[in-house]
Amino acid sequence: MRSSKPAAYHSILAQQVQWRHPKIVQSGVDQTRLVITDAPTEAVPFSFVVMGDTDAGAGVGASADGGETTFSASFAQQLMAQLGGSRFLLHTGDVTYPVGTYQNYLSGFLQPYQTLLSTLPESPAYKGEGITFERPLLPVPGNHDYAEKMSGLRSWDCFMRFVCDRLRRIGIDWGHYGGQGGEAYGQTFLDDLATLTPEQLSAHLRDHYSAVVDNAVADNGGEFRYGLNYRAGKFTRLPNRYYRFRYGGIDFFALDSNTWNTDSTAEGFDHEQLAWLENALVESWQSPEVVGRIVYLHHSPYTTESTRWQQSETLWIRRHLRSVLDKVAVAVDRVFSCSHDFVDGDHTPPLVDLVISGHAHCLEHVRTMDTGHADSHLDWLVCGGSGASLRRQWDADADILENLSRQGRSVTGVVAKSQLYAGIHGRGNKKQQFHSFVKVEVQPHQTKKLRVCPYVVVRDHMGWQTKALTAWSLGGTHATQAYVA
């Protein structure tokens, strides 16, 4: 489900948002900046919810007569009941499965989560029209959101449509409605500028890209930079496949990891995005209004999930993100202790307060040790257990090893430890499956400013139930560990 060329992942979305169109640049618009209209301008407490990999899993769906509730609908009901006063939702990617088609987005996500929507599209031919979220939903694309057709041959495509149409009559929906290559993801979440005339584009920019961003100066001659106005219930499009926004004194950085999950020499490798992240983090550190930073992406840099922990994509993502953090640390003159987060009782703020990811089908909290880089002693939250397909932890010891350079010698050392894991546990009649989502409470002026509240969703003889695990706070030398009951 992935292309060998990173560039193939974002060409459709770049065209859709008219990336760096001369008129957009001349208007002083930064296409990576999003401003939530009702976001507080000061550092105040708030909370948000995180979900990821909300695919329903192969073979899971409604019965032919519609009598059986799908997994997605059941899980969505449990999650929505816990939203409370949370201000927005983050999604770590793989919104639908197995391929990002319009039908799959409609039946696998929009319908189950329709209480988030102002109006539910009537058919898979929605093409983004009328999709408005009542509460901000801020996703990043996963590999399945980009997944392309199984073949570029027209004859094969026609055959698959024929087969899928017949299967749909007996209640099996493979969702072969087009929209692959990121098109349906873009039409569902991004701002489509490709169909606008020059006059319409100018008017659209005036209407929806008027938020002044930090009084920053643009590259086009000193004009203020503007970002997209995200208005819940009115206009809820995203400006780009990767972007940033600020809420309550916290800077959020949403990344598209599909385009840099391989060797940096690969054709089309997304150097531009990584340079953007480096500059954006440096800019954030130089802003006195920012008290914390959260990064979220699809691929997990650190995880002990059995199929992902040593996957090449995992290692490449870790390496590239680590390189960016190293550069940022140098640029902002941050010196981080290699052994402690507290020195003589004084807290050393982390370079980023939390990195959130998906792709690994589990809930996991990982804490890095001394890696020899600026990603040492950081907290990593994997939130990829919101779908039907869960996976086990690779080893109960849960240590992540790596070849390290110590005093000119190469040694194997522990670079990260798993603090919590929830996925598939036990075997046989003792097998348990813990689907999951997370609520994060932010107290921006406290040393331990983030409180992570994990939830697991289980199905037993009583039906679907949500159980809250022990919450923990981030910011100290060690986070309070939570356990699955």
Side-chain angles (χ1 to χ4, degrees):
M1 290 297 180
R2 60 181 295 268
S3 168
S4 60
K5 297 181 180 179
Y9 273 128
H10 60 83
S11 58
I12 291 177
L13 299 187
Q15 180 180 4
Q16 189 175 104
V17 301
Q18 295 291 282
W19 179 245
R20 297 197 183 282
H21 187 285
K23 184 176 287 292
I24 297 176
V25 174
Q26 291 165 11
S27 298
V29 169
D30 183 342
Q31 289 182 274
T32 66
R33 300 300 292 268
L34 178 149
V35 177
I36 299 176
T37 302
D38 63 351
T41 56
E42 300 178 349
V44 297
F46 66 95
S47 67
F48 61 93
V49 168
V50 187
M51 56 180 166
D53 294 82
T54 47
D55 64 82
V60 178
S63 62
D65 60 3
E68 181 182 351
T69 303
T70 65
F71 167 85
S72 296
S74 299
F75 182 88
Q77 185 178 27
Q78 299 296 313
L79 182 149
M80 297 300 291
Q82 301 298 327
L83 276 183
S86 295
R87 303 304 298 169
F88 53 84
L89 297 92
L90 303 185
H91 198 300
T92 61
D94 279 0
V95 178
T96 190
Y97 183 91
V99 291
T101 65
Y102 291 104
Q103 176 61 42
N104 285 343
Y105 277 101
L106 179 59
S107 61
F109 187 78
L110 297 178
Q111 288 177 346
Y113 292 91
Q114 60 185 286
T115 54
L116 290 174
L117 298 168
S118 298
T119 305
L120 181 69
E122 295 181 357
S123 76
Y126 60 86
K127 293 278 187 179
E129 297 179 4
I131 296 182
T132 305
F133 294 97
E134 290 295 328
R135 193 181 312 222
L137 176 64
L138 306 164
V140 291
N143 54 300
H144 285 282
D145 296 307
Y146 271 121
E148 299 178 359
K149 300 174 184 178
M150 287 176 281
S151 171
L153 297 176
R154 179 175 299 180
S155 58
W156 177 259
D157 187 51
C158 291
F159 172 73
M160 286 303 301
R161 287 177 182 271
F162 174 82
V163 171
C164 290
D165 286 342
R166 295 301 182 273
L167 289 175
R168 196 170 295 110
R169 294 179 182 178
I170 58 173
I172 301 175
D173 195 339
W174 283 2
H176 199 74
Y177 276 96
Q180 298 93 335
E183 178 190 325
Y185 174 88
Q187 290 290 339
T188 305
F189 299 111
L190 304 191
D191 193 15
D192 185 7
L193 306 178
T195 60
L196 301 181
T197 66
E199 293 75 18
Q200 290 173 331
L201 179 59
S202 296
H204 188 83
L205 294 176
R206 287 194 302 269
D207 291 342
H208 301 296
Y209 290 78
S210 58
V212 178
V213 181
D214 298 338
N215 289 335
V217 177
D219 297 329
N220 62 348
E223 297 291 333
F224 284 136
R225 286 196 302 184
Y226 299 96
L228 181 146
N229 292 295
Y230 190 102
R231 300 183 178 94
K234 297 180 179 179
F235 185 81
T236 55
R237 316 307 292 172
L238 303 177
N240 189 36
R241 59 192 175 88
Y242 60 90
Y243 54 96
R244 58 185 286 205
F245 65 95
R246 182 172 300 169
Y247 202 101
I250 305 295
D251 273 353
F252 290 81
F253 304 86
L255 310 180
D256 179 2
S257 55
N258 294 279
T259 56
W260 45 281
N261 60 0
T262 186
D263 189 329
S264 60
T265 62
E267 181 182 352
F269 183 86
D270 200 354
H271 296 280
E272 181 181 38
Q273 182 183 179
L274 293 181
W276 167 84
L277 176 61
E278 177 188 343
N279 293 331
L281 283 170
V282 171
E283 208 175 87
S284 177
W285 267 100
Q286 293 172 341
S287 174
E289 300 173 353
V290 181
V291 297
R293 292 147 203 89
I294 293 176
V295 173
Y296 65 107
L297 68 165
H298 181 60
H299 297 83
S300 295
Y302 290 95
T303 182
T304 62
E305 193 252 78
S306 58
T307 66
R308 306 298 188 196
W309 73 285
Q310 284 284 33
Q311 190 178 45
S312 62
E313 292 179 334
T314 301
L315 303 180
W316 281 120
I317 292 292
R318 183 191 307 172
R319 179 177 301 180
H320 297 315
L321 184 57
R322 175 184 289 172
S323 176
V324 169
L325 295 179
D326 283 347
K327 294 174 184 177
V328 172
V330 172
V332 301
D333 196 24
R334 300 291 299 173
V335 178
F336 297 94
S337 169
C338 289
S339 58
H340 300 285
D341 281 337
F342 287 90
V343 180
D344 297 329
D346 295 326
H347 178 64
T348 301
L351 193 60
V352 294
D353 295 273
L354 181 62
V355 180
I356 306 173
S357 59
H359 198 50
H361 289 195
C362 63
L363 166 67
E364 184 170 24
H365 172 212
V366 175
R367 178 84 171 171
T368 46
M369 315 299 286
D370 175 16
T371 68
H373 298 272
D375 64 347
S376 296
H377 305 291
L378 296 185
D379 290 286
W380 311 74
L381 179 64
V382 180
C383 193
S386 303
S389 175
L390 300 177
R391 299 195 178 105
R392 300 179 183 275
Q393 193 172 25
W394 75 272
D395 193 313
D397 290 337
D399 287 347
I400 298 176
L401 305 178
E402 194 174 300
N403 291 328
L404 304 171
S405 178
R406 292 290 185 266
Q407 297 179 342
R409 299 176 56 189
S410 179
V411 298
T412 300
V414 177
V415 293
K417 288 180 174 290
S418 181
Q419 309 295 310
L420 161 72
Y421 189 94
I424 295 179
H425 301 261
R427 298 184 184 277
N429 58 5
K430 294 184 178 181
K431 179 180 177 181
Q432 293 178 296
Q433 298 192 63
F434 296 97
H435 311 279
S436 55
F437 61 93
V438 172
K439 180 182 291 185
V440 180
E441 299 173 350
V442 181
Q443 297 288 338
H445 293 299
Q446 296 185 12
T447 299
K448 295 185 177 182
K449 61 176 65 70
L450 302 182
R451 185 170 183 265
V452 180
C453 308
Y455 294 86
V456 293
V457 178
V458 297
R459 186 176 187 179
D460 55 24
H461 66 283
M462 298 293 291
W464 290 99
Q465 299 183 55
T466 297
K467 299 180 180 180
L469 304 184
T470 304
W472 69 89
S473 297
L474 302 181
T477 304
H478 298 289
T480 304
Q481 188 167 352
Y483 296 88
V484 177

